[in-house]
Amino acid sequence: MTSDIQEIIETLRKFNDDRDWEQFHNAKDLAIALSIEAAELSEAYLWKTAKDAKIEKVREELADIFNYAFMIADKYNLDVRDICLSKIARNAEKYPVEKAKGNAKKYNEL
């Protein structure tokens, strides 16, 4: 059975292959595109309160961010589930509940 993430990656691959876009999708350019999409997500909140942001704009930009991130992971044959869970585990070590709960300080300031 294919995971949801793997289904998305395979759909992205087919979408790009059908258009012969793989030639443009080196890791550097994908990372730049991801950064631009993240800025566009920020733009959805610019000069507004968080509750006033248009959810459809947030949804669209998040989809672009996820898609570029998945394409980068695919480029390096990285397991998205594994890298996300590993990072959460590392963050749990850096930010133990007893020190970090309710605190916004960086781990080296705790």
Side-chain angles (χ1 to χ4, degrees), residues 70-86:
F70 290 152
M71 289 167 63
I72 294 168
D74 188 44
K75 179 79 50 196
Y76 290 110
N77 296 311
L78 299 173
D79 181 313
V80 173
R81 179 183 179 279
D82 179 60
I83 63 176
C84 289
L85 293 177
S86 294

Side-chain angles (χ1 to χ4, degrees), residues 4-60:
D4 293 341
I5 293 171
Q6 193 58 39
E7 179 184 357
I8 294 167
I9 290 171
E10 289 171 9
T11 303
L12 281 166
R13 256 192 237 136
K14 180 171 178 3
F15 178 89
N16 292 321
D17 288 348
D18 288 350
R19 290 155 181 80
D20 192 26
W21 285 355
E22 176 61 26
Q23 62 184 313
F24 308 116
H25 291 164
N26 62 74
K28 174 196 66 88
D29 288 332
L30 290 172
I32 292 169
L34 188 150
S35 177
I36 290 167
E37 296 301 338
E40 289 179 11
L41 175 62
S42 296
E43 185 179 36
Y45 296 99
L46 185 63
W47 314 124
K48 301 176 179 95
T49 64
K51 68 180 171 103
D52 291 332
K54 303 245 182 304
I55 192 65
E56 189 52 40
K57 175 73 171 164
V58 171
R59 179 184 156 104
E60 267 190 46

